[in-house]
Amino acid sequence: MTWNKPPPAVAVAAADAHDTDHGRLRELGYKQELKRHLSVLSNFSISFTVISVLTGVTTLYNTGLAFGGPATMTLGWFVAGVFTMAVGLSMAEICSAFPTSGGLYYWSARLSGNSWAPFAAWITGWFNIVGQWAGTASIDFSLAQLIQVIVLLSTGGNSGGGYLASKYVIFAFHAVILLSHATINSLSITWLSFFGQLAAIWNMLGVFALMIVVPVVATERASAKFVFTHLNTDNSAGIHNKLYIFVLGLLMSQYTMSGYDASAHMTEETKNADRNGPIGIISAIGISLIVGWGYILGITFAVKDIPYLLSPDNDAGGYAIAEVFYLAFKSRYGNGVGGIICLWIVAIAIYFCGMSSMTSNSRMTYAFSRDGAMPLSSLWHKVNKQEVPINAVWLSAFISLCMALPSLGSLVAFQAMASVATTAVNIAYALPILFRVMLAHKSFVPGPFNLRRYSILVGWIAVLWVATITVLFSLPVSYPVTKDTLNYTPVAVGGLFTLILLSWIVSARHWFKGPITNLGG
């Protein structure tokens, strides 16, 4: 039985009149297998933690400084944020109509029409799941790199003979972090809810602490004119056009503002999912937009010498934001211990981000395998006694570990893989929205959360924004272009698309029929 043959509404109402959530899920073709313990706060917390402004801004602050500098970060944050909100609003509307763990690929199937449903689900699902795995790999590897910087600064820094970990030690850090995340995600949803809310609180308080403490401690501060208007075109990339450099610098903001589909993937464990899932998406984006800007402002007011912050010869080995923290306290108190403590605040936030990212990954893996789209699907779909998709959790951890292996050969190769996290996930966001505005603009039946007459307009804005950033983030980031300076994003994303398409043509079109009901009968 395929996805477009759910049980009659009358039968659903009779069977599940006592439980609206379970009844709605049955109406969409699935039986309840996961516990609905998540409140709207818990659902929001997971998406807010995956977005994690402390993770995204800290990790790509070097990119923001090098490409465009302060103006790109402070103004570009709102450019990316406003358009991301359009994407989030459109996704929230669809989530309200179809609150399932499958999220994006299920939406594409339901919105693309019977004949296109299997192909639409296949393309969207694989872009989403690979992008999520790459995202978890990128987050946890970024944490491993930050720990290496903390160790370097704690042992004297670059200029004081500090310990610089090898690529093998960093990979080992990455493996241990992934192992701990998989262990935590093997716990019941009650524990995950607790950790999710703790993570959201840590991220929120951490942002406010750092945005106040760092500029207050710094003995020298940048002017407002520098923070809001200075465009850094003095870089080693050979790019000096202001518009070009501004556009490239948007990557920091856009990378940070992703991962909010976690709220959709957690809907089968969320109470009143058709309302609370959409609220989780929108509130995570909105609050991240506000607190993230505060974090960027606080740090950037402590920035004075951009070339020095980016130099591999500074105490933090060229890790700009770590050098900002370290110098702020060192200039005030004669040592950088306070800056190292600030870095641990960020590190814990990144740890929570990776934890929640794996939670989202595992639910997507669970749902995709439930519909038979993955090799050995029956294995990854299994749920343990705590009603946790345990095999999906460990599969996600293993794949994320494998995705970091290229770092042992070349960081450029790893960064090419990691670029899939931003581009592929955003493509997956845009596809169901595109089907909504093009193919289902008349047949779509909205849920409790909807955009009413603005639905189509906001949807088109969202689709065009994703198309725009996909092109922009594929542009060369350095001239002249060589094998070491080539932007591998289009290669990585194009390669992923080719593999997905070939797998469809050669095999999947013969057996994958799109989302299927697991109700039996």
Side-chain angles (χ1 to χ4, degrees), residues 486-497:
L486 178 67
N487 182 356
Y488 286 91
T489 300
V491 178
V493 176
L496 174 61
F497 177 72

Side-chain angles (χ1 to χ4, degrees), residues 31-88:
K31 63 183 178 181
Q32 187 73 42
E33 293 182 301
L34 306 175
K35 289 184 178 179
R36 289 192 185 271
H37 280 318
L38 297 183
S39 64
V40 64
L41 177 60
S42 298
N43 185 284
F44 152 78
S45 296
I46 291 172
S47 273
F48 181 70
T49 306
V50 174
I51 291 176
S52 181
V53 296
L54 287 176
T55 299
V57 173
T58 302
T59 301
L60 287 183
Y61 198 76
N62 276 52
T63 301
L65 275 186
F67 296 108
T72 294
M73 293 188 289
T74 54
L75 303 179
W77 179 259
F78 277 106
V79 173
V82 167
F83 285 109
T84 297
M85 181 60 81
V87 178

Side-chain angles (χ1 to χ4, degrees), residues 424-443:
V425 167
N426 275 281
I427 291 173
Y429 292 172
L431 286 173
I433 301 173
L434 178 64
F435 298 139
R436 157 77 180 97
V437 296
M438 284 193 67
L439 302 177
H441 58 282
K442 292 183 179 179
S443 59

Side-chain angles (χ1 to χ4, degrees), residues 139-491:
I139 293 164
D140 283 5
F141 194 81
S142 297
L143 176 56
Q145 289 177 311
L146 179 58
I147 291 173
Q148 176 259 314
V149 173
I150 292 173
V151 171
L152 175 63
L153 291 172
S154 300
T155 53
N158 236 355
S159 60
Y163 173 73
L164 185 63
S166 70
K167 59 185 178 182
Y168 299 104
V169 172
I170 293 174
F171 185 83
F173 287 163
H174 174 71
V176 171
I177 293 165
L178 277 171
L179 176 63
S180 67
H181 283 158
T183 302
I184 291 173
N185 274 281
S186 299
L187 301 175
S188 71
I189 190 62
T190 305
W191 278 104
L192 285 178
S193 175
F194 167 75
F195 282 123
Q197 292 184 47
L198 177 63
I201 293 170
W202 184 273
N203 271 270
M204 188 79 73
L205 294 181
V207 166
F208 282 115
L210 294 176
M211 64 186 278
I212 294 171
V213 170
V214 174
V216 167
V217 168
T219 54
E220 292 185 274
R221 299 180 189 85
S223 66
K225 180 179 180 181
F226 175 83
V227 170
F228 291 106
T229 66
H230 179 69
L231 269 171
N232 177 38
T233 56
D234 182 18
N235 57 73
S236 59
I239 302 173
H240 306 295
N241 179 276
K242 291 185 176 180
L243 179 59
Y244 196 166
I245 212 81
F246 180 86
V247 163
L248 292 179
L250 289 177
L251 178 60
M252 182 197 77
S253 302
Q254 194 61 56
Y255 173 81
T256 305
M257 288 287 185
S258 60
Y260 44 87
D261 58 315
S263 287
H265 296 303
M266 301 306 295
T267 50
E268 289 184 35
E269 294 161 87
T270 302
K271 302 170 185 175
N272 299 318
D274 55 356
R275 297 179 184 273
N276 291 340
I279 291 172
I281 293 172
I282 300 306
S283 56
I285 296 172
I287 294 175
S288 295
L289 183 59
I290 295 169
V291 300
W293 193 59
Y295 181 51
I296 292 170
L297 283 182
I299 304 310
T300 308
F301 268 109
V303 168
K304 293 291 288 184
D305 188 347
I306 293 176
Y308 177 72
L309 293 177
L310 295 172
S311 171
D313 297 324
N314 65 33
D315 279 319
Y319 200 114
I321 209 164
E323 187 68 17
V324 170
F325 292 172
Y326 191 73
L327 284 179
F329 282 86
K330 190 174 182 179
S331 63
R332 173 76 65 177
Y333 301 110
N335 64 72
V337 173
I340 294 171
I341 293 172
C342 289
L343 289 176
W344 275 116
I345 293 175
V346 175
I348 293 171
I350 298 176
Y351 182 84
F352 280 136
C353 177
M355 177 196 73
S356 294
S357 179
M358 188 177 290
T359 305
S360 179
N361 294 176
S362 61
R363 271 50 180 184
M364 172 63 192
T365 303
Y366 156 82
F368 211 32
S369 60
R370 177 175 61 185
D371 290 317
M374 297 180 64
L376 304 175
S377 281
S378 60
L379 179 63
W380 314 127
H381 172 236
K382 285 186 178 179
V383 176
N384 66 9
K385 293 180 180 179
Q386 285 74 41
E387 299 186 15
V388 172
I390 190 74
N391 293 345
V393 168
W394 287 92
L395 174 66
S396 296
F398 176 73
I399 292 178
S400 294
L401 178 67
C402 293
M403 281 184 158
L405 284 173
S407 69
L408 297 177
S410 167
L411 276 178
V412 173
F414 171 72
Q415 288 161 356
M417 182 283 301
S419 68
V420 175
T422 300
T423 308
V425 167
N426 275 281
I427 291 173
Y429 292 172
L431 286 173
I433 301 173
L434 178 64
F435 298 139
R436 157 77 180 97
V437 296
M438 284 193 67
L439 302 177
H441 58 282
K442 292 183 179 179
S443 59
F444 178 69
V445 179
F449 177 90
N450 61 84
L451 304 177
R452 302 183 186 278
R453 59 180 178 176
Y454 299 106
S455 177
I456 301 299
L457 174 62
V458 174
W460 275 116
I461 291 172
V463 170
L464 292 175
W465 172 247
V466 173
T468 300
I469 61 174
T470 300
V471 172
L472 294 180
F473 294 160
S474 299
L475 296 173
V477 295
S478 184
Y479 290 92
V481 177
T482 67
K483 64 182 179 65
D484 294 321
T485 61
L486 178 67
N487 182 356
Y488 286 91
T489 300
V491 178

